[in-house]
């Protein structure tokens, strides 16, 4: 009786040790690699926009293809902040000792995607800010296993995330 | 064997594998993370360097003089290193450490470029004597001599050199049968210049009436004699450019804006009057646009006459300076075949796709590539055994390099975990005093219903759609930048050269602010703007020269482009037009 109980415990332990543990470790590594690939792709994408001054549909599609190649589904958030120096120049013109503030106008993902679908490209100018944030929306194997074993609650937690932003360095050419 | 033994053996095998794998992946991740962060640092540092150059060249009244330009470039390189080190979390204790990984920084300017790289400078001293021993060469980082965008051609057995620029200005050196000659000018389609009236200073260029114009801008003038006075007044004056300087008209008395005060011209007034009588109508008006087309037409005729038969086959290889490239169609990045480069039939040099322009870009690219290859191959690093080579630079980057002032920086051989970093960055800029690009001209409009003034890019949609907007004048983009008045070290006041006191001229929200919805400037030069469906590539004509609004904008644009290019510093070209005896 006592022996068989120990055997069952040993088999369960062996199963965890020999199967679950390596699987968890591997799936975690897999997520790390995905995370890295996504972060690299995001940085490259944002860098390209920053150094060319334009966001093209081609580049955007390619970026989406690269990140989805990791086998996960993603939510991509884009943001363009357009620099407007007009309020500043109005202040200066009225009172020469003041510079006045610059204002940024924001454009978000849905507006940007509409513009891209319509024109194929968005031109930016020097001083604008471009930001991209991407999070996975599916549950990765590592997340499922972790939720199961550690009882981590909440399914909306993301595991893979890429984020980059920066000031556009050049004026994009119109065509 | 018992199950437990098997389990232990399994663990003994799997555990090290997992550990090593995870270590390896960690290493790879760190490498890629560092690579991305260094690339970002390089891009940002290059941008900072260009911004520093921009600020210096705008505020340095002497930035066109070569010594002064070297100073601006060197200051910009300092900024590059300081910024790079900060962005790399103070990777190096000082600049000399970083220099080992930066094989070259290239500054492409209006008519040539500087390469900042290592060069052998001194030999070692042995027994108080210079020891000329190849093994003891000392390398030092610094600016290589300025290299012009030049290309040699073999024409009927004689060598001709053409120096190109970022726009359509060229300088030709050569013996055309009457001894060596040097001539400089803007190369345009001279057949488009008609109806020349030298007295009234008017002509027609491609249907656009060019004539004298009155230019004005506002200045913040310090009141009283005290140099530290904080009493400023914004006043508007008409100006012309004489001898590379702005001369303002104050009711018949001429002055220059010097240290925020009016400095009236004394004896030089006569020279200005003489200049106005000769180069303009005699009134205080600018005829620079007329002079640009008039002189360019004469020069272009000469160029076509002398160089009209040159094709790319006549190009002499830059590597040896002797052999023409002949039938080698791969030598230059753009193959123009048998087309005549300096023959203006179907070849308007102002237009991007013309043979002249394609060839110009290809030659500039070849020149930079050849010299960079050498600079990188000869680069000596004390800290890295990396083999420094020129990476492949994107086509898109080459377009920027050959059309705008830009900085190309390279960083190689820096250890980043599992490999060595190899990256480059190209940043270009249009807001500087170096070159007047086609996109540098802004059109000022007056809104007839609200009275508000705005400035637009010449290709702005709104200009053609909103009938309330009346185009008034056009100036280059530098006139719309904020100017700072400094007394001592402290900025005291700010103003804009273009403005109508007390209301400023603001940037248009459809073109300048949102940088979108514009037509290419080339289409304005060619005389019709089109809307391109990006999916099919089909173009529909929006307006052409039969549209009065378009004609009005085109006239302002063509006049301003010519005037600003003529007034830019390089245009004392006449002094270069010499003939050897």
């Amino acid at each position: 009786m006592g022996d068989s109980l120990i055997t069952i415990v040993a088999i369960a332990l062996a199963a965890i040790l020999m199967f679950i543990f390596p699987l968890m470790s591997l799936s975690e590594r897999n997520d790390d690699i995905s995370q890295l690939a996504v972060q690299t792709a995001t940085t490259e994408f944002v860098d390209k926009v920053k150094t060319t001054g334009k966001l093209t549909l081609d580049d955007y599609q390619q970026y989406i293809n690269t990140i989805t190649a990791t086998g996960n589904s993603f939510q991509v958030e884009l943001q363009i902040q357009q620099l407007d120096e007009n309020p500043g120049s109005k202040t200066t013109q009225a009172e020469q000792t003041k510079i006045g503030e610059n204002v940024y106008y924001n454009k978000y993902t849905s507006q940007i995607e509409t513009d891209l679908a319509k024109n194929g490209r968005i031109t930016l100018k020097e001083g604008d800010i471009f930001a991209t944030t991407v999070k996975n929306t599916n549950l990765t194997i590592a997340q499922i296993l972790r939720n199961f074993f550690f009882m981590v609650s909440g399914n909306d937690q993301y595991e893979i995330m890429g984020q980059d932003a920066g000031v556009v360095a050049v004026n994009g050419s119109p065509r | 064997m018992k199950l437990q033994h098997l389990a232990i053996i399994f663990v003994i095998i799997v555990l090290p594998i997992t550990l090593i794998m995870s270590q390896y992946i960690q290493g790879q991740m760190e490498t890629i993370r560092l690579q991305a962060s260094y690339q970002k640092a390089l891009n940002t540092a290059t941008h900072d360097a260009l911004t520093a150059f921009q600020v210096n060249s705008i505020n340095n009244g002497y930035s066109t003089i070569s010594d002064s330009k070297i100073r601006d470039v060197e200051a910009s390189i300092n900024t590059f290193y300081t910024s790079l080190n900060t962005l790399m979390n103070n990777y190096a204790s000082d600049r000399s450490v970083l220099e080992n990984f930066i094989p070259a920084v290239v500054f492409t300017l209006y008519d040539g470029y500087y390469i900042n790289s290592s060069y052998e400078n001194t030999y070692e001293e042995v027994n108080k004597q210079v020891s000329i021993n190849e093994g003891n060469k000392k390398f030092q980082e610094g600016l290589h001599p300025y290299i012009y965008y030049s290309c040699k051609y073999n024409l009927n057995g004689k060598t001709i050199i053409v120096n190109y620029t970022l726009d359509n200005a060229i300088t030709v050196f050569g013996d055309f049968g009457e001894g060596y000659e040097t001539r400089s000018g803007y190369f345009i389609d001279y057949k488009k210049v008609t109806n020349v009236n030298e007295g009234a200073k008017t002509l027609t260029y491609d249907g656009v009436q060019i004539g004298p114009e009155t230019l004005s801008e506002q200045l913040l003038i310090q009141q009283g004699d005290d140099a530290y006075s904080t009493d400023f007044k914004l006043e508007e004056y008409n100006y012309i450019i004489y001898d590379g300087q702005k001369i303002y008209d104050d009711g018949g008395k001429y002055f220059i804006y010097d240290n925020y005060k009016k400095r009236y011209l004394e004896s030089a007034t006569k020279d200005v009057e003489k200049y106005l009588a000769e180069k303009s109508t005699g009134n205080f008006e600018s005829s620079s646009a007329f002079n640009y087309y008039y002189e360019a037409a004469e020069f272009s005729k000469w160029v076509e006459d002398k160089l009209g038969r040159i094709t790319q086959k006549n190009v002499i290889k830059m590597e040896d300076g002797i052999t023409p490239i002949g039938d080698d169609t791969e030598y230059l990045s753009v193959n123009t075949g048998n087309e005549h480069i300096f023959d203006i039939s179907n070849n308007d040099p102002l237009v991007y796709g013309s043979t002249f322009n394609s060839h110009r870009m290809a030659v500039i690219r070849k020149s930079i590539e050849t010299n960079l290859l050498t600079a990188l191959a000869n680069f000596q690093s004390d800290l890295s055994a990396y083999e420094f080579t020129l990476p492949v630079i994107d086509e898109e980057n080459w377009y920027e390099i050959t059309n705008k002032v830009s900085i190309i920086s390279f960083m190689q051989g820096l250890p980043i975990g599992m490999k060595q970093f190899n990256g480059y960055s190209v940043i270009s800029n249009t807001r500087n005093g170096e070159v007047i690009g086609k996109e540098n001209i802004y059109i000022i409009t007056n809104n007839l219903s609200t009275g508000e003034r705005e400035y637009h890019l010449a290709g702005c949609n709104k200009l053609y759609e909103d009938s309330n907007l009346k185009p008034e004048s056009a100036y280059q983009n530098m006139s719309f930048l904020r100017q700072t008045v400094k007394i001592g070290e402290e900025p005291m006041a700010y103003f804009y050269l273009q403005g109508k006191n007390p209301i400023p001229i603001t940037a248009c929200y459809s073109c300048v602010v949102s940088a979108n919805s514009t037509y290419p400037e080339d289409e304005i030069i060619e005389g019709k703007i089109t809307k391109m469906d990006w999916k099919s590539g089909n173009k529909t004509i929006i307006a052409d020269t039969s549209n009065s609004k378009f004609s009005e904008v085109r006239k302002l644009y063509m006049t301003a482009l010519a005037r600003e290019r003529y007034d830019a510093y390089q245009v004392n070209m006449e002094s270069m037009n010499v003939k050897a005896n």
Side-chain angles (χ1 to χ4, degrees):
Chain A
M1 169 68 191
D3 245 11
S4 47
L5 187 70
I6 284 171
T7 314
I8 290 166
V9 170
I11 288 171
L13 264 176
I16 291 172
L17 211 63
M18 288 162 74
F19 184 69
I20 308 288
F21 175 68
L23 184 66
M24 271 182 83
S25 152
L26 265 177
S27 58
E28 297 257 347
R29 281 289 84 76
N30 194 24
D31 278 5
D32 283 350
I33 295 168
S34 301
Q35 158 74 34
L36 185 67
V38 168
Q39 181 61 54
T40 314
T42 310
T43 312
E44 274 172 11
F45 173 61
V46 173
D47 268 355
K48 184 150 191 210
V49 174
K50 272 160 56 188
T51 52
T52 57
K54 64 194 179 212
L55 167 61
T56 62
L57 191 60
D58 275 357
D59 288 343
Y60 183 53
Q61 290 291 6
Q62 208 181 339
Y63 168 63
I64 300 289
N65 288 347
T66 314
I67 57 170
T68 43
T70 58
N72 300 296
S73 59
F74 289 96
Q75 183 196 354
V76 181
E77 282 169 22
L78 304 174
Q79 189 188 4
I80 292 174
Q81 291 185 289
Q82 276 170 335
L83 174 69
D84 175 11
E85 292 174 298
N86 284 344
S89 74
K90 281 180 187 159
T91 310
T92 304
Q93 184 76 24
E95 198 172 339
Q96 277 93 34
T97 50
K98 295 211 166 71
I99 290 186
E101 279 179 50
N102 288 337
V103 178
Y104 287 93
Y105 287 101
N106 289 314
K107 271 188 183 170
Y108 296 101
T109 318
S110 58
Q111 290 162 296
I112 294 169
E113 282 178 346
T114 318
D115 273 5
L116 279 179
K118 205 171 99 193
N119 301 321
R121 58 185 290 151
I122 293 175
T123 319
L124 301 171
K125 66 170 186 302
E126 196 181 342
D128 288 352
I129 297 172
F130 181 69
T132 305
T133 308
V134 57
K135 291 169 189 166
N136 70 317
T137 48
N138 62 325
L139 281 178
T140 65
I141 298 171
Q143 267 175 303
I144 296 170
L145 288 173
R146 219 177 313 138
N147 282 353
F148 180 72
F149 281 100
F150 306 145
M151 305 296 166
V152 183
S153 61
N155 288 339
D156 58 339
Q157 279 181 335
Y158 53 86
E159 176 76 14
I160 303 165
M161 185 198 174
Q163 192 175 36
D164 199 21
V167 180
V168 176
V170 297
N171 287 328
S173 46
R175 200 175 275 176
Chain B
M1 216 188 285
K2 280 185 181 173
L3 186 67
Q4 290 93 319
H5 292 161
L6 276 175
I8 288 165
I9 290 168
F10 176 81
V11 169
I12 288 172
I13 294 171
V14 166
L15 206 62
I17 292 177
T18 324
L19 284 176
I20 291 168
M21 274 297 283
S22 93
Q23 200 66 33
Y24 179 75
I25 290 171
Q26 283 290 325
Q28 287 287 6
M29 282 170 60
E30 186 60 13
T31 305
I32 296 180
R33 196 190 61 76
L34 270 178
Q35 181 166 332
S37 87
Y38 285 172
Q39 182 61 48
K40 206 171 187 172
L42 187 64
N43 284 342
T44 314
T46 314
H47 182 219
D48 286 351
L50 197 51
T51 310
F53 180 73
Q54 176 187 339
V55 170
N56 283 333
S57 72
I58 291 173
N59 294 317
N60 177 359
Y62 303 100
S63 76
T64 54
I65 299 161
S66 137
D67 276 358
S68 184
K69 194 179 281 176
I70 289 176
R71 202 187 62 190
D72 287 348
V73 169
E74 280 175 346
S76 161
I77 286 168
N78 284 338
T79 311
F80 172 79
Y81 279 108
T82 315
S83 171
L84 188 63
N85 202 15
T86 314
L87 290 160
M88 288 166 70
N89 298 323
N90 292 320
Y91 177 90
S93 53
D94 73 40
R95 172 180 161 166
S96 62
V97 178
L98 274 181
E99 280 174 2
N100 286 295
F101 306 107
I102 310 289
V105 180
V106 186
F107 272 77
T108 64
L109 303 175
Y110 180 67
D111 54 356
Y113 54 100
Y114 282 111
I115 297 179
N116 187 74
S117 182
S118 76
Y119 59 92
E120 28 180 297
N121 192 23
T122 48
Y123 288 104
E124 240 175 355
E125 187 187 281
V126 177
N127 297 332
K128 295 192 174 174
Q129 278 189 327
V130 177
S131 154
I132 303 188
N133 176 352
E134 288 297 303
N136 290 337
K137 274 180 195 167
K138 286 253 174 90
F139 283 83
Q140 151 176 2
E141 175 107 1
L143 280 188
H144 288 206
Y146 193 63
I147 307 165
Y148 286 93
Y149 301 128
S150 66
C151 183
K152 281 190 195 175
Y153 299 90
N154 184 335
L155 187 68
N156 308 328
K158 283 182 176 160
T159 303
I160 288 153
I161 302 171
V162 177
N163 279 2
Y164 292 91
T165 58
L166 295 182
D167 59 21
N168 57 332
I170 53 171
T171 302
V172 182
F173 307 89
D175 178 1
F176 302 99
E178 297 166 38
Y180 274 92
E181 282 181 74
T182 305
R183 287 192 69 165
S184 305
Y186 286 94
F187 187 50
I188 59 165
D189 183 349
Y190 66 84
K191 286 178 187 153
K192 287 183 178 163
V193 178
T194 48
N195 301 333
V196 180
N197 183 339
E198 283 179 51
K201 303 284 174 197
T202 56
L203 55 80
T204 312
Y205 177 79
D206 198 18
V208 177
Q209 178 79 29
I210 307 281
E213 45 181 351
T214 309
L215 309 173
S216 71
E217 61 187 25
Q218 49 176 19
L219 298 172
L220 198 59
I221 311 267
Q222 194 178 32
Q223 306 292 307
D225 291 331
D226 182 8
Y228 291 94
S229 159
T230 52
D231 183 13
F232 287 97
K233 213 171 139 198
L234 203 56
E235 296 166 15
E236 192 174 332
Y237 293 101
N238 292 345
Y239 74 91
I240 55 154
I241 297 205
Y242 164 69
D243 224 1
Q245 237 179 355
K246 277 183 183 161
I247 309 282
Y248 299 90
D249 178 24
D250 186 7
K253 281 164 80 186
Y254 304 137
F255 70 91
I256 55 175
Y257 186 55
D258 183 26
N259 269 328
Y260 319 121
K261 283 189 168 43
K262 299 186 222 177
R263 186 151 65 79
Y264 287 99
L265 300 181
E266 312 280 331
S267 56
T269 309
K270 283 215 162 54
D271 297 334
V272 175
E273 278 165 358
K274 195 174 153 215
Y275 171 83
L276 285 172
E278 276 175 16
K279 287 281 187 181
S280 191
T281 52
N283 300 327
F284 197 81
E285 288 174 317
S286 168
S287 293
S288 297
F290 168 84
N291 291 332
Y292 172 89
Y293 289 114
Y294 181 70
E295 288 170 18
E298 209 173 312
F299 172 72
S300 307
K301 227 180 269 182
W302 180 84
V303 170
E304 196 189 44
D305 178 40
K306 303 290 184 198
L307 309 177
R309 306 308 298 166
I310 287 182
T311 66
Q312 69 169 16
K313 288 183 181 168
N314 300 78
V315 172
I316 294 177
K317 285 192 176 167
M318 296 187 185
E319 288 83 358
D320 61 3
I322 305 165
T323 18
I325 64 168
D327 293 324
D328 185 354
T329 52
E330 305 278 300
Y331 185 78
L332 293 173
S333 56
V334 181
N335 175 19
T336 52
N338 290 325
E339 286 172 52
H340 296 125
I341 294 152
F342 301 101
D343 183 343
I344 51 106
S345 341
N346 288 327
N347 175 22
D348 184 351
L350 275 179
V351 175
Y352 171 69
S354 62
T355 311
F356 170 80
N357 201 40
S358 309
H359 181 73
R360 177 188 70 82
M361 293 187 353
V363 165
I364 293 179
R365 175 173 171 175
K366 189 74 200 176
S367 167
I368 295 176
E369 272 177 346
T370 317
N371 285 295
L372 257 181
L373 268 175
T374 323
L376 263 71
N378 291 337
F379 181 73
Q380 295 285 322
S381 170
D382 297 334
L383 297 178
S384 176
Y386 191 81
E387 204 170 305
F388 294 90
T389 45
L390 183 64
V392 178
I393 297 175
D394 278 353
E395 287 295 321
E396 201 162 349
N397 285 328
W398 278 119
Y399 170 78
E400 298 283 320
I401 295 166
T402 51
N403 287 291
K404 294 172 186 172
V405 169
S406 46
I407 298 183
I408 319 164
S409 59
F410 298 89
M411 183 152 79
Q412 297 181 358
L414 195 67
I416 44 167
M418 303 213 166
K419 58 177 189 173
Q420 284 168 314
F421 183 84
N422 181 348
Y424 74 92
S425 174
V426 177
I427 303 283
S428 63
N429 178 287
T430 50
R431 276 196 210 176
N432 53 61
E434 273 285 309
V435 56
I436 314 290
K438 289 177 199 162
E439 64 285 348
N440 287 20
I441 303 295
Y442 287 153
I443 311 277
I444 299 175
T445 58
N446 186 2
N447 191 322
L448 294 177
S449 65
T450 62
E452 281 176 0
R453 284 187 168 82
E454 280 185 325
Y455 59 90
H456 306 256
L457 288 168
C460 176
N461 290 14
K462 217 172 137 192
L463 270 179
Y464 308 106
E465 284 160 13
D466 190 342
S467 56
N468 277 329
L469 294 182
K470 187 180 160 25
E472 276 190 335
S473 52
Y475 293 93
Q476 64 150 315
N477 59 355
M478 301 270 283
S479 304
F480 298 86
L481 290 184
R482 188 176 57 228
Q483 310 285 313
T484 307
V485 172
K486 267 188 174 179
I487 292 179
E489 285 301 304
E490 288 299 305
M492 288 297 299
Y494 310 90
F495 70 103
Y496 291 84
L497 290 174
Q498 285 304 326
K500 293 273 179 224
N501 205 15
I503 308 154
I505 299 178
T506 52
C508 164
Y509 282 94
S510 346
C511 58
V512 182
V513 175
S514 78
N516 232 346
S517 19
T518 52
Y519 304 109
E521 281 81 10
D522 263 357
E523 293 194 337
I524 294 165
I525 294 174
E526 284 174 301
K528 66 173 178 221
I529 44 173
T530 59
K531 195 182 175 78
M532 191 170 75
D533 181 42
W534 69 276
K535 282 178 187 149
S536 62
N538 292 341
K539 288 179 178 178
T540 35
I541 295 178
I542 299 291
D544 59 14
T545 44
S546 61
N547 177 322
S548 66
K549 187 73 168 290
F550 176 69
S551 299
E552 219 173 323
V553 173
R554 183 161 179 253
K555 180 183 171 182
L556 285 175
Y557 178 75
M558 298 301 286
T559 309
L561 184 68
R563 176 223 313 147
E564 298 293 352
R565 281 191 175 173
Y566 189 81
D567 286 343
Y569 78 96
Q570 59 272 19
V571 189
N572 288 328
M573 282 183 177
E574 246 172 292
S575 57
M576 283 183 69
N577 292 339
V578 290
K579 206 175 196 180
N581 295 317

